Amino acid sequence: MMTRRVLPNHVGFIPDGNRRWAAGHGLPKQSGYQAGIEPGLALYEMCKSRGISEVSVFGFTQDNTKRPSEQIQAFRSACVAFAAEIVRRGAALLVVGDERSPQFPEELKAFRTRQGEGIKVNFLVNYHWEWDLDGLKMGQLRSQDVSRLDLIVRWGGGRRLSGFLPVQSVYADFFVVDQHWPDFRPEHFEDALNWFKEQDQTLGG
């Protein structure tokens, strides 16, 4: 029997299009990351108010650290600022990524173990899917504390996971927003939730 769920328990967010947004506004590409912080906070508050219990957010991947140094510095700083603010607002933050790398922000190392009691936020920082799966050699995923995803929302028009939590994403519904992430509007997420209500949650059954 096919069932529909009114609200996803766990939503993943891929906030893409920051550099394209900046270029389209005549700004240096690295300016787009700072412009993505306020939308992230607005989306966090929406998830809290709607009663979603867990969210996962793509910060940056190990592949992203091949970009020019000014961009790396900008997205690292934006990730630290976002993390600090959601902790201040009561999030139970877990940062998932390779903390042994110099690209991992020192300020986030304490959050490699979940801290806090509120809505669970899993923040992927210096993350790579191969790094995650490599943990299986020692008996468990490196993202073992992240639950299975119900819904993934991606901004920027891309129709791909880009290595986003491959194990937890196996049965996730995937919703694409064509607008760039800094152009976030609340209706983007409302549209995703309304669309999710209409999807059959069979989990392969």
Side-chain angles (χ1 to χ4, degrees):
M1 181 184 197
M2 293 188 179
T3 58
R4 288 191 171 93
R5 231 178 315 172
V6 174
L7 193 71
N9 293 317
H10 183 187
V11 185
F13 299 112
I14 302 177
D16 197 22
N18 302 69
R19 293 184 299 170
R20 284 173 284 155
W21 176 89
H25 286 74
L27 300 168
K29 287 183 178 179
Q30 62 267 24
S31 301
Y33 302 115
Q34 182 73 23
I37 296 173
E38 283 301 324
L41 297 174
L43 185 55
Y44 166 76
E45 293 296 342
M46 283 187 73
C47 290
K48 272 175 62 175
S49 67
R50 295 300 296 266
I52 292 168
S53 58
E54 185 172 1
V55 301
S56 291
V57 183
F58 234 162
F60 68 89
T61 69
Q62 292 177 6
D63 291 327
N64 296 152
T65 62
K66 299 167 187 170
R67 293 177 182 173
S69 59
E70 63 273 12
Q71 292 182 30
I72 297 170
Q73 183 178 351
F75 62 60
R76 287 174 82 249
S77 296
C79 285
V80 170
F82 172 74
E85 182 57 23
I86 61 169
V87 167
R88 192 187 71 79
R89 297 185 186 197
L93 178 63
L94 172 68
V95 177
V96 183
D98 186 359
E99 75 279 5
R100 299 166 302 176
S101 163
Q103 298 291 4
F104 190 95
E106 187 71 31
E107 301 93 325
L108 300 182
K109 285 188 175 178
F111 297 99
R112 284 291 288 113
T113 301
R114 192 181 303 280
Q115 309 284 332
E117 300 294 330
I119 176 176
K120 289 183 177 179
V121 178
N122 311 306
F123 194 25
L124 276 57
V125 172
N126 201 43
Y127 176 86
H128 196 279
W129 65 272
E130 289 178 318
W131 167 86
D132 192 353
L133 296 179
D134 200 49
L136 292 172
K137 294 175 183 176
M138 286 150 318
Q140 57 196 16
L141 288 171
R142 290 195 162 113
S143 62
Q144 60 158 339
D145 294 326
V146 178
S147 71
R148 184 178 57 77
L149 284 149
D150 301 306
L151 171 65
I152 297 170
V153 185
R154 178 170 183 145
W155 278 261
R159 266 80 174 159
R160 58 187 177 275
L161 278 175
S162 298
F164 183 78
L165 294 169
V167 174
Q168 291 87 347
S169 298
V170 287
Y171 284 119
D173 286 304
F174 198 96
F175 187 88
V176 176
V177 179
D178 287 327
Q179 285 84 357
H180 299 144
W181 170 242
D183 287 327
F184 167 82
R185 297 194 308 273
E187 52 262 39
H188 295 163
F189 189 41
E190 294 293 347
D191 288 347
L193 292 177
N194 289 331
W195 174 84
F196 178 80
K197 291 177 189 176
E198 302 304 315
Q199 307 311 305
D200 293 320
Q201 310 294 316
T202 65
L203 302 182

